[in-house]
Amino acid sequence: MSKIGLVLTIVILIFTASGCLLTPRLTGEPAENSLSLEPQILPLDTFGVRRTEIVVAGVSVGTFSFWIENDSLILNFEGLDEWMFSRIAFETKETIDEFKLDDSGILDIASFSTNVHFDNVVNFASYEVDLGFLGGFSTSFFTAIYLEMRNTDDIEISTIPTAYLGTIYRDSGQIDLNSILTGELRVERRNGLAYCDLSLINEGNTEALFITVELLFEIEEEGTWLEFERVKLVSFEDEFSLASGASIKLSAEIPAKGNIRVTADISSINSDSIRLVYIYEGDF
């Protein structure tokens, strides 16, 4: 073998070995050496699902998603491009401080209540967590996950254990006195459009953190309300907050015909979630 060929062979071997050592991180997770337990906040889609990709070397090898269904948390894990799960571990807590850390200050995987090793790898798994343990005033929770994956070439990768923020909606009669979000929703017709104005006030004595506001538009057809549009005014990724006593006005406009109903879903991680409903019975 020539010297040039030998050098090329060594370079290829080094590159191949380094590829096996890649440690993918879920999109949006904290830095590898971070000791902070600051939760990651994933965007909420129109179906109420929060989702993130599992990415290695710029390539998506899977997805992790979660949502609320019948007072339970549903966790979904899906492998892509011949990547499959060999281990899934997760834990759900009411507050971030309840998670245990290991000696290096990282989430302690051994403490997770669910820690499944698959003898035969799987490309899909789904779990349901009863949220009945949450307090009556809770409007948020935290889920930490850790994953190990393997592909058809027996290359193994793992994620850094990361905590994610989730939210739930409560009836507005349940009030957290530390931070109380109240508001007024109005809808009127102007130039063939439905104009929605939402006045939001923090009447508590602490800052309302990471506020999210989404408008649901429904139209009445033969006595049944049918969804036809969702508009996100602010979301967690905007890191929108309201100081104690502060207020803000948010607006949206949308074409509509017939009777419409507009619902505003509002929540923050340290305040009671509220739902404001306004029915416009005018003829658009």
Side-chain angles (χ1 to χ4, degrees):
M1 181 181 295
S2 66
K3 289 184 179 180
I4 294 177
L6 178 61
V7 170
L8 287 174
T9 300
I10 293 173
V11 169
I12 291 172
L13 288 173
I14 292 174
F15 179 81
T16 303
S18 65
C20 298
L21 298 175
L22 285 171
T23 301
R25 293 185 292 178
L26 295 179
T27 302
E29 72 175 349
E32 184 171 356
N33 296 322
S34 173
L35 301 182
S36 172
L37 271 186
E38 181 178 353
Q40 301 303 296
I41 302 171
L42 302 178
L44 187 69
D45 68 16
T46 56
F47 300 101
V49 177
R50 298 187 187 277
R51 179 181 289 106
T52 188
E53 292 182 298
I54 307 168
V55 178
V56 59
V59 177
S60 177
V61 298
T63 60
F64 158 61
S65 59
F66 65 93
W67 64 89
I68 304 298
E69 187 175 301
N70 298 325
D71 296 324
S72 292
L73 170 66
I74 309 298
L75 302 168
N76 260 25
F77 304 90
E78 182 178 359
L80 301 174
D81 297 331
E82 299 183 336
W83 284 94
M84 291 171 283
F85 299 98
S86 56
R87 181 183 180 187
I88 295 176
F90 62 87
E91 181 65 274
T92 301
K93 298 291 187 182
E94 184 170 6
T95 65
I96 196 72
D97 296 332
E98 294 179 67
F99 289 108
K100 293 182 179 180
L101 305 181
D102 60 21
D103 294 338
S104 61
I106 297 175
L107 283 164
D108 183 9
I109 303 168
S111 69
F112 289 3
S113 58
T114 299
N115 200 333
V116 182
H117 294 261
F118 299 98
D119 294 332
N120 297 316
V121 290
V122 298
N123 63 0
F124 177 82
S126 182
Y127 298 90
E128 181 175 344
V129 179
D130 185 0
L131 295 178
F133 68 91
L134 296 176
F137 297 115
S138 298
T139 57
S140 62
F141 60 88
F142 301 88
T143 291
I145 70 166
Y146 169 76
L147 305 172
E148 293 178 1
M149 301 180 71
R150 187 165 70 240
N151 69 2
T152 53
D153 296 324
D154 284 334
I155 296 177
E156 297 182 349
I157 60 176
S158 61
T159 66
I160 296 171
T162 305
Y164 294 87
L165 172 68
T167 56
I168 57 177
Y169 287 107
R170 300 289 195 185
D171 294 335
S172 57
Q174 298 174 332
I175 297 297
D176 179 347
L177 295 178
N178 288 326
S179 184
I180 303 175
L181 290 175
T182 62
E184 181 182 13
L185 175 65
R186 305 296 297 176
V187 180
E188 64 178 24
R189 177 191 178 186
R190 296 203 300 265
N191 300 324
L193 298 174
Y195 281 78
C196 304
D197 292 322
L198 173 65
S199 298
L200 191 60
I201 306 171
N202 176 10
E203 295 185 345
N205 53 25
T206 61
E207 186 176 15
L209 302 174
F210 296 113
I211 297 171
T212 182
V213 177
E214 184 178 62
L215 297 181
L216 166 65
F217 290 84
E218 298 170 291
I219 189 168
E220 186 180 23
E221 293 186 2
E222 299 181 354
T224 301
W225 291 102
L226 302 175
E227 175 182 343
F228 70 91
E229 189 71 54
R230 284 180 183 264
V231 177
K232 185 174 291 184
L233 299 183
V234 293
S235 58
F236 279 110
E237 59 264 30
D238 300 324
E239 296 188 3
F240 176 72
S241 303
L242 271 182
S244 178
S247 63
I248 191 170
K249 185 175 181 179
L250 304 170
S251 299
E253 60 186 53
I254 189 169
K257 294 183 179 180
N259 292 341
I260 65 168
R261 178 169 65 184
V262 184
T263 303
D265 284 328
I266 308 160
S267 65
S268 93
I269 67 171
N270 65 336
S271 177
D272 180 53
S273 299
I274 59 175
R275 178 165 284 157
L276 303 174
V277 180
Y278 187 92
I279 299 177
Y280 187 94
E281 296 183 347
D283 184 15
F284 283 89

